[in-house]
Amino acid sequence: QVQLVESGGGLVQAGGSLRLSCAASGLTFNTYVVGWFRQAPGEEREFVAAKTWSVSLSSYADSVKGRFTISRDNAKNTVYLQMNGLKPEDTAVYSCAARRGSISRSRGDYDYWGQGTQVTVSS
């Protein structure tokens, strides 16, 4: 049974940092693309970042480029999202997702999803 479990969310002031983690079980991360998505209240879920496992390619939404960094720890089967320079508009539930194949920014292309972790940025 595949499980993705996010952690690391919380409340932070604007300009602050958080690091989210996505721990996987039931699958071997080195054959999957892992993505982070977020959903703010009343909004659709949107792409944040994604990373391949085998060739270390990454992709970022324009809104987070230069502030967020996606990385992985092979030994721990875990992917991280380091978020710096947080803004109130980054407030959302952040979810990780996994898919086989190439990087995609489309949420419909991902097969497995975590439950999400809340990130709240105060002004």
Side-chain angles (χ1 to χ4, degrees):
Q1 182 180 355
V2 176
Q3 274 195 316
L4 302 178
V5 180
E6 302 95 337
S7 61
L11 173 64
V12 64
Q13 288 188 332
S17 299
L18 283 173
R19 188 178 80 157
L20 306 183
S21 300
C22 173
S25 60
L27 59 82
T28 304
F29 253 173
N30 64 5
T31 60
Y32 284 81
V33 169
V34 178
W36 285 97
F37 291 78
R38 66 186 183 186
Q39 187 169 21
E43 303 288 333
E44 290 191 351
R45 184 176 285 178
E46 66 174 2
F47 172 78
V48 176
K51 190 172 187 65
T52 62
W53 202 250
S54 60
V55 295
S56 298
L57 295 177
S58 301
S59 178
Y60 295 93
D62 288 344
S63 59
V64 306
K65 199 172 295 183
R67 298 188 297 124
F68 291 11
T69 303
I70 187 170
S71 63
R72 68 182 193 264
D73 184 328
N74 291 2
K76 295 182 178 180
N77 226 28
T78 299
V79 171
Y80 303 99
L81 185 68
Q82 178 67 43
M83 306 186 295
N84 299 327
L86 284 161
K87 305 175 181 179
E89 52 263 44
D90 294 319
T91 295
V93 174
Y94 284 71
S95 301
C96 64
R99 70 181 300 267
R100 290 186 181 271
S102 59
I103 280 183
S104 172
R105 297 181 170 216
S106 173
R107 59 185 183 270
D109 288 341
Y110 286 78
D111 301 309
Y112 304 104
W113 290 84
Q115 291 298 309
T117 185
Q118 176 71 46
V119 171
T120 303
V121 185
S122 63
S123 57

